[in-house]
mmCIF file of all heavy atoms in Angstrom:
data_model
loop_
_atom_site.group_PDB
_atom_site.id
_atom_site.type_symbol
_atom_site.label_atom_id
_atom_site.label_comp_id
_atom_site.label_asym_id
_atom_site.label_seq_id
_atom_site.Cartn_x
_atom_site.Cartn_y
_atom_site.Cartn_z
ATOM 1 N N SER Q 219 -75.051 -111.511 -0.753
ATOM 2 C CA SER Q 219 -74.346 -112.678 -1.173
ATOM 3 C C SER Q 219 -75.181 -113.552 -2.051
ATOM 4 O O SER Q 219 -74.701 -114.512 -2.674
ATOM 5 C CB SER Q 219 -73.896 -113.454 0.048
ATOM 6 O OG SER Q 219 -75.005 -113.775 0.839
ATOM 7 N N TYR Q 220 -76.485 -113.321 -2.153
ATOM 8 C CA TYR Q 220 -77.380 -114.103 -3.015
ATOM 9 C C TYR Q 220 -77.316 -113.588 -4.462
ATOM 10 O O TYR Q 220 -77.849 -114.205 -5.346
ATOM 11 C CB TYR Q 220 -78.825 -114.098 -2.491
ATOM 12 C CG TYR Q 220 -78.888 -114.334 -1.028
ATOM 13 C CD1 TYR Q 220 -78.855 -113.273 -0.124
ATOM 14 C CD2 TYR Q 220 -78.919 -115.610 -0.533
ATOM 15 C CE1 TYR Q 220 -78.851 -113.504 1.238
ATOM 16 C CE2 TYR Q 220 -78.910 -115.839 0.848
ATOM 17 C CZ TYR Q 220 -78.873 -114.776 1.680
ATOM 18 O OH TYR Q 220 -78.885 -114.981 3.050
ATOM 19 N N LYS Q 258 -75.912 -95.769 5.138
ATOM 20 C CA LYS Q 258 -76.161 -97.110 5.692
ATOM 21 C C LYS Q 258 -74.822 -97.825 5.888
ATOM 22 O O LYS Q 258 -73.810 -97.378 5.420
ATOM 23 C CB LYS Q 258 -77.047 -97.957 4.705
ATOM 24 C CG LYS Q 258 -78.505 -97.551 4.714
ATOM 25 C CD LYS Q 258 -79.243 -97.956 6.012
ATOM 26 C CE LYS Q 258 -80.668 -97.513 6.053
ATOM 27 N NZ LYS Q 258 -81.515 -98.076 5.020
ATOM 28 N N VAL Q 259 -74.904 -98.980 6.619
ATOM 29 C CA VAL Q 259 -73.687 -99.698 6.943
ATOM 30 C C VAL Q 259 -73.834 -101.130 6.473
ATOM 31 O O VAL Q 259 -74.939 -101.707 6.519
ATOM 32 C CB VAL Q 259 -73.357 -99.531 8.434
ATOM 33 C CG1 VAL Q 259 -74.473 -100.011 9.304
ATOM 34 C CG2 VAL Q 259 -72.078 -100.237 8.810
ATOM 35 N N VAL Q 260 -72.703 -101.691 6.041
ATOM 36 C CA VAL Q 260 -72.704 -103.116 5.619
ATOM 37 C C VAL Q 260 -71.371 -103.753 6.084
ATOM 38 O O VAL Q 260 -70.370 -103.048 6.252
ATOM 39 C CB VAL Q 260 -72.912 -103.213 4.098
ATOM 40 C CG1 VAL Q 260 -71.644 -102.860 3.315
ATOM 41 C CG2 VAL Q 260 -73.328 -104.641 3.657
ATOM 42 N N SER Q 261 -71.435 -105.070 6.298
ATOM 43 C CA SER Q 261 -70.247 -105.772 6.761
ATOM 44 C C SER Q 261 -69.463 -106.278 5.545
ATOM 45 O O SER Q 261 -69.855 -106.173 4.409
ATOM 46 C CB SER Q 261 -70.639 -106.946 7.646
ATOM 47 O OG SER Q 261 -71.221 -107.961 6.838
ATOM 48 N N GLN Q 262 -68.337 -106.977 5.853
ATOM 49 C CA GLN Q 262 -67.552 -107.580 4.751
ATOM 50 C C GLN Q 262 -68.284 -108.707 4.060
ATOM 51 O O GLN Q 262 -67.938 -109.085 2.936
ATOM 52 C CB GLN Q 262 -66.242 -108.153 5.340
ATOM 53 C CG GLN Q 262 -66.504 -109.235 6.398
ATOM 54 C CD GLN Q 262 -65.246 -109.871 6.964
ATOM 55 O OE1 GLN Q 262 -64.474 -110.434 6.252
ATOM 56 N NE2 GLN Q 262 -65.077 -109.732 8.303
ATOM 57 N N PHE Q 263 -69.365 -109.234 4.713
ATOM 58 C CA PHE Q 263 -70.065 -110.426 4.184
ATOM 59 C C PHE Q 263 -71.273 -110.054 3.334
ATOM 60 O O PHE Q 263 -71.560 -110.673 2.333
ATOM 61 C CB PHE Q 263 -70.486 -111.361 5.333
ATOM 62 C CG PHE Q 263 -69.355 -111.866 6.153
ATOM 63 C CD1 PHE Q 263 -69.108 -111.316 7.398
ATOM 64 C CD2 PHE Q 263 -68.492 -112.801 5.636
ATOM 65 C CE1 PHE Q 263 -68.045 -111.782 8.200
ATOM 66 C CE2 PHE Q 263 -67.426 -113.272 6.402
ATOM 67 C CZ PHE Q 263 -67.204 -112.768 7.699
ATOM 68 N N SER Q 264 -72.043 -109.056 3.789
ATOM 69 C CA SER Q 264 -73.293 -108.700 3.155
ATOM 70 C C SER Q 264 -74.198 -109.898 2.927
ATOM 71 O O SER Q 264 -74.683 -110.112 1.852
ATOM 72 C CB SER Q 264 -73.038 -107.926 1.848
ATOM 73 O OG SER Q 264 -74.218 -107.367 1.378
ATOM 74 N N HIS Q 265 -74.413 -110.654 4.009
ATOM 75 C CA HIS Q 265 -75.303 -111.796 3.875
ATOM 76 C C HIS Q 265 -76.786 -111.467 4.125
ATOM 77 O O HIS Q 265 -77.660 -112.304 4.252
ATOM 78 C CB HIS Q 265 -74.858 -112.920 4.829
ATOM 79 C CG HIS Q 265 -73.741 -113.722 4.275
ATOM 80 N ND1 HIS Q 265 -72.660 -114.142 4.968
ATOM 81 C CD2 HIS Q 265 -73.485 -114.137 3.017
ATOM 82 C CE1 HIS Q 265 -71.838 -114.812 4.211
ATOM 83 N NE2 HIS Q 265 -72.338 -114.798 3.003
ATOM 84 N N THR Q 266 -77.025 -110.179 4.192
ATOM 85 C CA THR Q 266 -78.390 -109.696 4.399
ATOM 86 C C THR Q 266 -79.317 -110.091 3.243
ATOM 87 O O THR Q 266 -78.913 -110.081 2.087
ATOM 88 C CB THR Q 266 -78.398 -108.150 4.604
ATOM 89 O OG1 THR Q 266 -79.730 -107.723 4.825
ATOM 90 C CG2 THR Q 266 -77.850 -107.432 3.414
ATOM 91 N N ILE Q 267 -80.574 -110.380 3.549
ATOM 92 C CA ILE Q 267 -81.539 -110.626 2.540
ATOM 93 C C ILE Q 267 -82.307 -109.368 2.156
ATOM 94 O O ILE Q 267 -82.359 -108.942 1.013
ATOM 95 C CB ILE Q 267 -82.523 -111.783 2.955
ATOM 96 C CG1 ILE Q 267 -81.702 -113.077 3.167
ATOM 97 C CG2 ILE Q 267 -83.601 -112.005 1.850
ATOM 98 C CD1 ILE Q 267 -82.490 -114.192 3.826
ATOM 99 N N LEU Q 270 -82.169 -103.396 3.302
ATOM 100 C CA LEU Q 270 -82.036 -102.304 4.240
ATOM 101 C C LEU Q 270 -80.599 -101.787 4.319
ATOM 102 O O LEU Q 270 -80.331 -100.658 4.818
ATOM 103 C CB LEU Q 270 -82.468 -102.753 5.644
ATOM 104 C CG LEU Q 270 -84.005 -102.920 5.757
ATOM 105 C CD1 LEU Q 270 -84.349 -103.641 7.057
ATOM 106 C CD2 LEU Q 270 -84.687 -101.549 5.709
ATOM 107 N N ALA Q 271 -79.641 -102.566 3.862
ATOM 108 C CA ALA Q 271 -78.258 -102.101 3.901
ATOM 109 C C ALA Q 271 -77.974 -101.042 2.774
ATOM 110 O O ALA Q 271 -76.917 -100.475 2.703
ATOM 111 C CB ALA Q 271 -77.296 -103.271 3.765
ATOM 112 N N THR Q 286 -67.856 -102.076 7.215
ATOM 113 C CA THR Q 286 -67.060 -102.413 8.400
ATOM 114 C C THR Q 286 -65.998 -103.493 8.092
ATOM 115 O O THR Q 286 -65.439 -104.092 8.983
ATOM 116 C CB THR Q 286 -67.963 -102.894 9.540
ATOM 117 O OG1 THR Q 286 -68.702 -104.031 9.115
ATOM 118 C CG2 THR Q 286 -68.914 -101.825 10.038
ATOM 119 N N ALA Q 306 -67.353 -103.894 15.511
ATOM 120 C CA ALA Q 306 -68.567 -104.278 14.744
ATOM 121 C C ALA Q 306 -68.276 -105.217 13.600
ATOM 122 O O ALA Q 306 -69.088 -106.108 13.331
ATOM 123 C CB ALA Q 306 -69.219 -103.021 14.201
ATOM 124 N N PRO Q 328 -75.479 -118.474 15.588
ATOM 125 C CA PRO Q 328 -76.267 -119.023 14.440
ATOM 126 C C PRO Q 328 -75.631 -120.268 13.886
ATOM 127 O O PRO Q 328 -74.480 -120.619 14.262
ATOM 128 C CB PRO Q 328 -76.248 -117.890 13.419
ATOM 129 C CG PRO Q 328 -75.270 -116.892 13.890
ATOM 130 C CD PRO Q 328 -74.859 -117.200 15.285
ATOM 131 N N TYR Q 329 -76.270 -120.930 12.992
ATOM 132 C CA TYR Q 329 -75.749 -122.191 12.411
ATOM 133 C C TYR Q 329 -74.601 -121.894 11.477
ATOM 134 O O TYR Q 329 -73.889 -122.757 11.071
ATOM 135 C CB TYR Q 329 -76.844 -122.874 11.590
ATOM 136 C CG TYR Q 329 -77.974 -123.385 12.372
ATOM 137 C CD1 TYR Q 329 -78.846 -122.512 13.038
ATOM 138 C CD2 TYR Q 329 -78.214 -124.738 12.481
ATOM 139 C CE1 TYR Q 329 -79.898 -123.015 13.780
ATOM 140 C CE2 TYR Q 329 -79.237 -125.256 13.236
ATOM 141 C CZ TYR Q 329 -80.100 -124.379 13.872
ATOM 142 O OH TYR Q 329 -81.135 -124.840 14.617
ATOM 143 N N TRP Q 330 -74.442 -120.643 11.151
ATOM 144 C CA TRP Q 330 -73.609 -120.232 10.008
ATOM 145 C C TRP Q 330 -72.595 -119.164 10.542
ATOM 146 O O TRP Q 330 -73.028 -118.236 11.203
ATOM 147 C CB TRP Q 330 -74.529 -119.690 8.959
ATOM 148 C CG TRP Q 330 -74.036 -118.809 7.902
ATOM 149 C CD1 TRP Q 330 -74.265 -117.479 7.803
ATOM 150 C CD2 TRP Q 330 -73.264 -119.155 6.789
ATOM 151 N NE1 TRP Q 330 -73.703 -116.973 6.684
ATOM 152 C CE2 TRP Q 330 -73.075 -118.008 6.035
ATOM 153 C CE3 TRP Q 330 -72.729 -120.378 6.331
ATOM 154 C CZ2 TRP Q 330 -72.365 -117.988 4.832
ATOM 155 C CZ3 TRP Q 330 -72.044 -120.354 5.133
ATOM 156 C CH2 TRP Q 330 -71.838 -119.174 4.420
ATOM 157 N N GLY Q 332 -70.515 -117.186 8.710
ATOM 158 C CA GLY Q 332 -70.138 -116.108 7.813
ATOM 159 C C GLY Q 332 -70.863 -114.815 8.098
ATOM 160 O O GLY Q 332 -71.569 -114.290 7.218
ATOM 161 N N VAL Q 333 -70.735 -114.316 9.323
ATOM 162 C CA VAL Q 333 -71.451 -113.110 9.695
ATOM 163 C C VAL Q 333 -70.486 -112.222 10.566
ATOM 164 O O VAL Q 333 -69.601 -112.747 11.194
ATOM 165 C CB VAL Q 333 -72.716 -113.371 10.550
ATOM 166 C CG1 VAL Q 333 -73.776 -114.051 9.705
ATOM 167 C CG2 VAL Q 333 -72.403 -114.213 11.759
ATOM 168 N N SER Q 334 -70.742 -110.928 10.575
ATOM 169 C CA SER Q 334 -69.990 -110.034 11.459
ATOM 170 C C SER Q 334 -70.789 -109.924 12.742
ATOM 171 O O SER Q 334 -72.024 -110.162 12.732
ATOM 172 C CB SER Q 334 -69.868 -108.665 10.839
ATOM 173 O OG SER Q 334 -71.172 -108.024 10.723
ATOM 174 N N ALA Q 336 -71.793 -107.286 14.402
ATOM 175 C CA ALA Q 336 -72.870 -106.237 14.353
ATOM 176 C C ALA Q 336 -73.989 -106.676 13.405
ATOM 177 O O ALA Q 336 -75.155 -106.522 13.688
ATOM 178 C CB ALA Q 336 -72.306 -104.882 13.950
ATOM 179 N N GLY Q 337 -73.590 -107.245 12.259
ATOM 180 C CA GLY Q 337 -74.624 -107.725 11.267
ATOM 181 C C GLY Q 337 -75.501 -108.792 11.865
ATOM 182 O O GLY Q 337 -76.703 -108.846 11.685
ATOM 183 N N MET Q 338 -74.813 -109.688 12.639
ATOM 184 C CA MET Q 338 -75.504 -110.822 13.260
ATOM 185 C C MET Q 338 -76.591 -110.332 14.275
ATOM 186 O O MET Q 338 -77.730 -110.778 14.188
ATOM 187 C CB MET Q 338 -74.476 -111.675 13.968
ATOM 188 C CG MET Q 338 -74.965 -112.749 14.876
ATOM 189 S SD MET Q 338 -73.552 -113.766 15.507
ATOM 190 C CE MET Q 338 -72.746 -112.618 16.640
ATOM 191 N N SER Q 340 -77.795 -107.267 14.540
ATOM 192 C CA SER Q 340 -78.771 -106.308 13.931
ATOM 193 C C SER Q 340 -79.951 -107.004 13.319
ATOM 194 O O SER Q 340 -81.052 -106.431 13.169
ATOM 195 C CB SER Q 340 -78.042 -105.468 12.849
ATOM 196 O OG SER Q 340 -77.094 -104.700 13.410
ATOM 197 N N THR Q 341 -79.725 -108.248 12.828
ATOM 198 C CA THR Q 341 -80.817 -108.973 12.133
ATOM 199 C C THR Q 341 -81.476 -110.023 13.001
ATOM 200 O O THR Q 341 -82.327 -110.788 12.546
ATOM 201 C CB THR Q 341 -80.262 -109.653 10.865
ATOM 202 O OG1 THR Q 341 -79.148 -110.438 11.255
ATOM 203 C CG2 THR Q 341 -79.866 -108.655 9.803
ATOM 204 N N GLY Q 342 -81.051 -110.100 14.293
ATOM 205 C CA GLY Q 342 -81.666 -111.102 15.161
ATOM 206 C C GLY Q 342 -81.252 -112.502 14.817
ATOM 207 O O GLY Q 342 -82.018 -113.447 15.063
ATOM 208 N N ALA Q 343 -80.061 -112.683 14.299
ATOM 209 C CA ALA Q 343 -79.594 -114.042 13.911
ATOM 210 C C ALA Q 343 -79.590 -114.961 15.130
ATOM 211 O O ALA Q 343 -79.320 -114.558 16.245
ATOM 212 C CB ALA Q 343 -78.216 -113.982 13.303
ATOM 213 N N HIS Q 344 -79.918 -116.243 14.900
ATOM 214 C CA HIS Q 344 -80.116 -117.154 16.008
ATOM 215 C C HIS Q 344 -79.683 -118.569 15.663
ATOM 216 O O HIS Q 344 -79.637 -118.948 14.491
ATOM 217 C CB HIS Q 344 -81.578 -117.174 16.397
ATOM 218 C CG HIS Q 344 -82.439 -117.545 15.199
ATOM 219 N ND1 HIS Q 344 -82.725 -118.875 14.906
ATOM 220 C CD2 HIS Q 344 -82.969 -116.834 14.233
ATOM 221 C CE1 HIS Q 344 -83.430 -118.923 13.782
ATOM 222 N NE2 HIS Q 344 -83.604 -117.693 13.339
ATOM 223 N N GLY Q 345 -79.427 -119.314 16.695
ATOM 224 C CA GLY Q 345 -79.266 -120.766 16.615
ATOM 225 C C GLY Q 345 -80.578 -121.383 17.070
ATOM 226 O O GLY Q 345 -81.684 -120.849 16.750
ATOM 227 N N LEU Q 394 -81.413 -103.414 12.587
ATOM 228 C CA LEU Q 394 -81.321 -103.477 11.126
ATOM 229 C C LEU Q 394 -80.578 -102.352 10.513
ATOM 230 O O LEU Q 394 -80.819 -101.973 9.370
ATOM 231 C CB LEU Q 394 -82.706 -103.610 10.521
ATOM 232 C CG LEU Q 394 -83.429 -104.919 10.785
ATOM 233 C CD1 LEU Q 394 -84.940 -104.759 10.498
ATOM 234 C CD2 LEU Q 394 -82.885 -106.051 9.930
ATOM 235 N N GLY Q 395 -79.739 -101.722 11.295
ATOM 236 C CA GLY Q 395 -78.881 -100.634 10.737
ATOM 237 C C GLY Q 395 -79.638 -99.335 10.520
ATOM 238 O O GLY Q 395 -79.159 -98.444 9.833
ATOM 239 N N GLY Q 398 -78.700 -96.290 13.897
ATOM 240 C CA GLY Q 398 -77.329 -95.737 14.075
ATOM 241 C C GLY Q 398 -76.348 -96.799 13.696
ATOM 242 O O GLY Q 398 -76.733 -97.917 13.326
ATOM 243 N N VAL Q 399 -75.093 -96.465 13.798
ATOM 244 C CA VAL Q 399 -74.045 -97.475 13.376
ATOM 245 C C VAL Q 399 -73.464 -98.108 14.664
ATOM 246 O O VAL Q 399 -72.914 -97.392 15.502
ATOM 247 C CB VAL Q 399 -72.938 -96.763 12.580
ATOM 248 C CG1 VAL Q 399 -71.854 -97.817 12.234
ATOM 249 C CG2 VAL Q 399 -73.488 -96.119 11.320
ATOM 250 N N ILE Q 400 -73.634 -99.404 14.781
ATOM 251 C CA ILE Q 400 -73.081 -100.090 15.941
ATOM 252 C C ILE Q 400 -71.580 -100.138 15.780
ATOM 253 O O ILE Q 400 -71.074 -100.484 14.694
ATOM 254 C CB ILE Q 400 -73.627 -101.514 16.057
ATOM 255 C CG1 ILE Q 400 -75.134 -101.456 16.365
ATOM 256 C CG2 ILE Q 400 -72.903 -102.311 17.143
ATOM 257 C CD1 ILE Q 400 -75.889 -102.790 16.243
ATOM 258 N N SER Q 401 -70.861 -99.732 16.861
ATOM 259 C CA SER Q 401 -69.402 -99.671 16.778
ATOM 260 C C SER Q 401 -68.798 -100.840 17.508
ATOM 261 O O SER Q 401 -67.813 -101.457 17.001
ATOM 262 C CB SER Q 401 -68.962 -98.367 17.387
ATOM 263 O OG SER Q 401 -67.628 -98.438 17.704
ATOM 264 N N PHE Q 473 -74.050 -126.148 4.670
ATOM 265 C CA PHE Q 473 -73.217 -124.989 4.572
ATOM 266 C C PHE Q 473 -71.833 -125.269 4.032
ATOM 267 O O PHE Q 473 -70.929 -124.472 4.154
ATOM 268 C CB PHE Q 473 -73.105 -124.269 5.907
ATOM 269 C CG PHE Q 473 -74.414 -123.699 6.411
ATOM 270 C CD1 PHE Q 473 -74.636 -123.519 7.748
ATOM 271 C CD2 PHE Q 473 -75.419 -123.384 5.523
ATOM 272 C CE1 PHE Q 473 -75.832 -123.021 8.217
ATOM 273 C CE2 PHE Q 473 -76.644 -122.901 5.958
ATOM 274 C CZ PHE Q 473 -76.844 -122.713 7.309
HETATM 275 C C1 FAD D 700 -75.830 -119.372 4.204
HETATM 276 C C2 FAD D 700 -76.476 -118.501 5.266
HETATM 277 C C3 FAD D 700 -76.863 -119.116 6.466
HETATM 278 C C4 FAD D 700 -77.455 -118.367 7.431
HETATM 279 N N1 FAD D 700 -77.780 -118.977 8.619
HETATM 280 C C5 FAD D 700 -78.401 -118.292 9.571
HETATM 281 C C6 FAD D 700 -78.743 -118.962 10.831
HETATM 282 O O1 FAD D 700 -78.426 -120.064 11.058
HETATM 283 N N2 FAD D 700 -79.438 -118.257 11.701
HETATM 284 C C7 FAD D 700 -79.862 -116.967 11.475
HETATM 285 O O2 FAD D 700 -80.513 -116.346 12.279
HETATM 286 N N3 FAD D 700 -79.446 -116.325 10.334
HETATM 287 C C8 FAD D 700 -78.794 -116.964 9.385
HETATM 288 N N4 FAD D 700 -78.441 -116.298 8.209
HETATM 289 C C9 FAD D 700 -78.796 -114.918 8.041
HETATM 290 C C10 FAD D 700 -77.620 -114.027 8.605
HETATM 291 O O3 FAD D 700 -77.465 -114.332 9.991
HETATM 292 C C11 FAD D 700 -77.948 -112.561 8.416
HETATM 293 O O4 FAD D 700 -78.072 -112.274 7.117
HETATM 294 C C12 FAD D 700 -76.829 -111.635 9.040
HETATM 295 O O5 FAD D 700 -77.326 -110.403 9.136
HETATM 296 C C13 FAD D 700 -75.595 -111.609 8.179
HETATM 297 O O6 FAD D 700 -74.629 -110.830 8.846
HETATM 298 P P1 FAD D 700 -73.675 -109.890 8.046
HETATM 299 O O7 FAD D 700 -72.493 -109.588 8.914
HETATM 300 O O8 FAD D 700 -73.426 -110.428 6.687
HETATM 301 O O9 FAD D 700 -74.601 -108.575 7.962
HETATM 302 P P2 FAD D 700 -74.877 -107.602 6.715
HETATM 303 O O10 FAD D 700 -75.562 -108.379 5.665
HETATM 304 O O11 FAD D 700 -73.658 -106.823 6.390
HETATM 305 O O12 FAD D 700 -75.909 -106.615 7.439
HETATM 306 C C14 FAD D 700 -77.167 -107.052 7.878
HETATM 307 C C15 FAD D 700 -77.988 -105.848 8.385
HETATM 308 O O13 FAD D 700 -77.333 -105.310 9.544
HETATM 309 C C16 FAD D 700 -76.978 -103.946 9.312
HETATM 310 N N5 FAD D 700 -75.602 -103.747 9.897
HETATM 311 C C17 FAD D 700 -74.463 -104.382 9.562
HETATM 312 N N6 FAD D 700 -73.446 -103.886 10.282
HETATM 313 C C18 FAD D 700 -73.980 -102.952 11.088
HETATM 314 C C19 FAD D 700 -73.410 -102.043 12.070
HETATM 315 N N7 FAD D 700 -72.116 -101.995 12.358
HETATM 316 N N8 FAD D 700 -74.280 -101.186 12.707
HETATM 317 C C20 FAD D 700 -75.629 -101.175 12.384
HETATM 318 N N9 FAD D 700 -76.137 -101.971 11.494
HETATM 319 C C21 FAD D 700 -75.354 -102.852 10.849
HETATM 320 C C22 FAD D 700 -76.982 -103.726 7.824
HETATM 321 O O14 FAD D 700 -77.272 -102.428 7.445
HETATM 322 C C23 FAD D 700 -78.055 -104.711 7.378
HETATM 323 O O15 FAD D 700 -79.364 -104.172 7.412
HETATM 324 C C24 FAD D 700 -77.761 -116.991 7.201
HETATM 325 C C25 FAD D 700 -77.389 -116.400 6.016
HETATM 326 C C26 FAD D 700 -76.731 -117.148 5.058
HETATM 327 C C27 FAD D 700 -76.287 -116.478 3.806
#
Side-chain angles (χ1 to χ4, degrees):
S219 56
Y220 313 91
K258 285 287 178 64
V259 57
V260 74
S261 72
Q262 60 178 301
F263 301 105
S264 191
H265 279 139
T266 179
I267 299 168
L270 288 168
T286 58
Y329 293 67
W330 160 252
V333 293
S334 66
M338 169 175 71
S340 295
T341 51
H344 57 87
L394 290 163
V399 179
I400 294 169
S401 162
F473 295 155

